């Protein structure tokens, strides 16, 4: 299970970094979200990947640590707020600049004229 979890975190991280390096704003937003998911899974794995273990002390012989679960829950809320802010910022930049390029270039083939 740990190997599968590590592979998933690695694939999410690699995909997020690849999308962050794209020239358009929408792939950058998706890349940030994927990196956020990878970090959340990594934080969740720091508490131990125990199956059939309760998060309450005394309910099982090897309880899981509840602190990473609380950190992941907080990170999910912050990640959602950050994604919403970046989407609104991208919409505003698209409206003001007439292009969705990250560096603000215009006139590339396929752009919608303003």
């Amino acid at each position: 299970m740990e190997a599968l979890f590590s592979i998933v975190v690695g694939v999410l991280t690699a995909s997020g970094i690849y999308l962050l390096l794209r020239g358009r704003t929408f792939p950058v937003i998706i890349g940030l979200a994927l990196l956020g998911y990878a970090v959340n899974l990594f934080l969740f794995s720091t508490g131990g990947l125990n199956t059939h273990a309760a998060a309450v002390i005394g309910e099982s012989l090897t309880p899981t640590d509840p602190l990473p679960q609380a950190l992941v829950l907080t990170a999910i809320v912050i990640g959602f707020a950050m994604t919403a802010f970046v989407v609104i910022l991208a919409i505003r930049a698209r409206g003001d600049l007439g292009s969705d390029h990250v560096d603000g270039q215009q006139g590339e083939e396929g752009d919608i004229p303003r």
Side-chain angles (χ1 to χ4, degrees):
M1 177 152 168
E2 287 86 6
L4 176 66
F5 210 78
S6 299
I7 290 171
V8 169
V9 170
V11 167
L12 282 174
T13 303
S15 300
I17 289 173
Y18 174 76
L19 289 173
L20 274 176
L21 298 175
R22 306 298 296 167
R24 305 281 184 156
T25 55
F26 186 69
V28 170
I29 293 169
I30 298 298
L32 282 172
L34 287 178
L35 277 177
Y37 297 148
V39 169
N40 288 344
L41 286 175
F42 176 72
L43 284 175
F44 189 71
S45 69
T46 60
L49 299 174
N50 297 335
T51 57
H52 308 296
V56 180
I57 296 174
E59 294 293 323
S60 65
L61 295 176
T62 58
T64 58
D65 188 13
L67 182 63
Q69 296 173 12
L71 287 174
V72 167
L73 184 60
T74 305
I76 288 170
V77 173
I78 292 171
F80 179 73
M82 182 196 68
T83 303
F85 175 73
V86 171
V87 165
I88 296 301
L89 191 65
I91 290 171
R92 175 70 188 262
R94 171 77 169 115
D96 289 348
L97 299 174
S99 174
D100 67 341
H101 285 278
V102 176
D103 58 359
Q105 290 181 354
Q106 291 184 7
E108 187 173 310
E109 193 172 316
D111 282 346
I112 299 172
R114 192 169 173 189

